[in-house]
Amino acid sequence: MKQRIISSKNFQTDLAIAIAECEHDKTFILVDEHTKELCLPLIKSFHGLKKADVITLKASDLHKDLNSLSHVWTALQAYGATRHSLLINLGGGMITDLGGFAASTFKRGINFINIPTTLLAMVDASVGGKTGINFGGLKNEIGVFNDSSFVILNTQWLKTLDTENIRSGYAEMLKHGLIANETMWADLINFDLANPNLDQLDPMLAKSVEIKENIVEQDPKEKNIRKALNLGHTFGHAFETWAMHRTPILHGYAVAYGLISELFIAATKRGFPTDKLRQTVRFIREYYGVLPITCDDYLELIEYMHHDKKNRNNEINVTLLTEIGNIHIDQIITEEEVKEALDFFREG
Ligand code: GLY
């Protein structure tokens, strides 16, 4: 069954429809300790969920590991889940990634529904079938591509989300705007991210998810155009890993910094318009600040880029735009170009 994404106006009804359409002798809800407190009470009394068993994990990406996965499998087994049971993942990307993988592997696969509760999970993690866990010190090292039956999007969850997490998810929306078209990009960089209006964000979120959905539909296993979704991520992952060894930053902040660097390379190497580079950089600097790297950090960052799992032959690979919406995947860049982009990132 193709993944169905519902931009929900009536959450209770839409969830009931989704559950009814999925085979389910028993229903389970996977939460982390935060969504258990903040989100679960809002759905637990719904018809069809009163009897659902709840499985709770510790929050944060640090726990997206084999222990937590084993905990989910063990709980499913202990509560008597069968091949016809249903798992509902209620949480951020950690819950939808790990829950999706647990469901995809339990008795060779049971149905699951994603209810993303963070902006990052809504626009990225919960859509497109990437599931998995971190392993051996590497992020998302073990996993499978497998779609949830439904993703139910509802901005009501964002009311409890802090500013940093809103901004983190918004960076992926900005990325979608850049790979989509100028109108979407302009709407995004004109949005007041200091005082985000959820009613205004709602249609932007739906459009953003549509961009991702269209790309994933063309290339579900990331052999080709899905690589466009890695825009900003070659530098972004390196920044994220660098920060992890010092003061960790949220994924979307790293992506926003990565967008600055990779758009700079696109402008110098492939003629991406400098006015659009400047406007995007201004927006990112205003809401995401800067990362305090110095030229002494360049070699470490380059080392992380070489280890990126998108690479082959130890080359550094990025997605470059010649214009907004004009995507060139699999572009090899030199270490010199990386250093120039890092100079630009630091000095703007
Ligand atoms: N996060 C990028 C993708 O789903 O392909």
Side-chain angles (χ1 to χ4, degrees):
M1 174 159 90
K2 182 179 171 293
Q3 179 170 60
R4 279 164 62 188
I5 301 173
I6 304 177
S7 274
S8 181
K9 295 280 171 271
N10 188 337
F11 185 70
Q12 185 160 359
T13 309
D14 289 333
L15 180 57
I17 292 171
I19 293 174
E21 290 202 16
C22 293
E23 186 182 33
H24 62 283
D25 56 356
K26 284 179 191 237
T27 304
F28 299 85
I29 307 174
L30 182 67
V31 288
D32 65 32
E33 53 210 339
H34 300 317
T35 55
K36 182 178 190 169
E37 193 191 317
L38 295 170
C39 307
L40 184 64
L42 300 175
I43 69 166
K44 190 66 179 79
S45 60
F46 288 3
H47 179 72
L49 291 183
K50 286 195 187 97
K51 289 204 199 115
D53 287 304
V54 176
I55 306 170
T56 309
L57 297 179
K58 291 209 177 86
S60 118
D61 199 68
L62 290 175
H63 298 286
K64 200 170 100 178
D65 62 6
L66 200 52
N67 275 339
S68 303
L69 179 66
S70 165
H71 177 76
V72 179
W73 285 330
T74 308
L76 287 171
Q77 209 171 41
Y79 289 135
T82 74
R83 180 174 274 192
H84 311 285
S85 297
L86 170 68
L87 182 67
I88 297 178
N89 297 319
L90 178 68
M94 182 265 186
I95 288 294
T96 59
D97 280 8
L98 188 146
F101 187 47
S104 305
T105 45
F106 186 77
K107 295 192 190 284
R108 299 209 177 89
I110 61 173
N111 284 324
F112 63 104
I113 293 175
N114 284 339
I115 306 178
T117 57
T118 64
L119 187 57
L120 190 64
M122 288 179 196
V123 289
D124 194 21
S126 68
V127 176
K130 283 188 180 174
T131 73
I133 57 165
N134 305 329
F135 186 75
L138 297 173
K139 281 170 72 93
N140 303 322
E141 180 73 346
I142 308 290
V144 293
F145 285 102
N146 188 28
D147 278 340
S148 63
S149 302
F150 287 87
V151 182
I152 307 180
L153 302 170
N154 192 321
T155 43
Q156 68 152 336
W157 305 114
L158 302 181
K159 288 182 192 150
T160 54
L161 205 63
D162 57 70
T163 310
E164 283 72 33
N165 275 292
I166 296 274
R167 290 181 191 191
S168 179
Y170 197 83
E172 295 284 2
M173 291 176 63
L174 200 54
K175 176 195 80 179
H176 289 160
L178 283 161
I179 58 181
N181 58 61
E182 198 166 327
T183 316
M184 228 179 119
W185 166 81
D187 283 349
L188 285 156
I189 62 158
N190 287 313
F191 184 68
D192 181 7
L193 201 50
N195 305 293
N197 175 327
L198 292 188
D199 291 334
Q200 212 182 326
L201 190 65
D202 210 42
M204 290 163 76
L205 171 74
K207 274 194 213 151
S208 193
V209 173
E210 236 175 73
I211 303 297
K212 174 156 185 181
E213 206 186 349
N214 281 340
I215 289 181
V216 172
E217 237 171 56
Q218 294 171 54
D219 175 27
K221 297 270 171 81
E222 201 171 303
K223 302 268 184 253
N224 199 299
I225 191 64
R226 185 166 183 167
K227 293 180 188 172
L229 297 172
N230 293 328
L231 180 70
H233 282 65
T234 299
F235 279 70
H237 282 148
F239 288 142
E240 197 173 2
T241 311
W242 179 90
M244 208 169 69
H245 295 293
R246 294 162 177 90
T247 309
I249 54 173
L250 294 174
H251 176 70
Y253 279 67
V255 171
Y257 303 144
L259 288 175
I260 293 184
S261 320
E262 292 180 23
L263 287 184
F264 170 78
I265 298 177
T268 49
K269 212 172 142 91
R270 302 300 301 263
F272 181 80
T274 47
D275 58 327
K276 290 179 184 130
L277 167 69
R278 291 273 160 212
Q279 288 176 70
T280 312
V281 170
R282 199 179 313 129
F283 180 87
I284 294 174
R285 287 214 193 290
E286 181 175 350
Y287 294 113
Y288 298 82
V290 289
L291 190 68
I293 56 161
T294 71
C295 49
D296 294 337
D297 298 307
Y298 286 12
L299 288 183
E300 183 183 337
L301 288 161
I302 288 170
E303 191 58 26
Y304 295 142
M305 290 182 206
H306 279 302
H307 283 113
D308 196 304
K309 57 174 169 299
K310 298 188 287 296
N311 289 336
R312 287 181 184 189
N313 309 327
N314 208 30
E315 288 161 333
I316 300 175
N317 190 308
V318 287
T319 294
L320 294 179
L321 303 179
T322 45
E323 236 311 347
I324 289 174
N326 206 334
I327 305 158
H328 299 265
I329 59 167
D330 289 333
Q331 303 293 301
I332 307 297
I333 55 169
T334 63
E335 291 190 7
E336 212 38 56
E337 285 164 337
V338 171
K339 287 180 188 163
E340 283 164 17
L342 292 171
D343 285 343
F344 176 79
F345 175 73
R346 284 170 52 222
E347 285 145 24

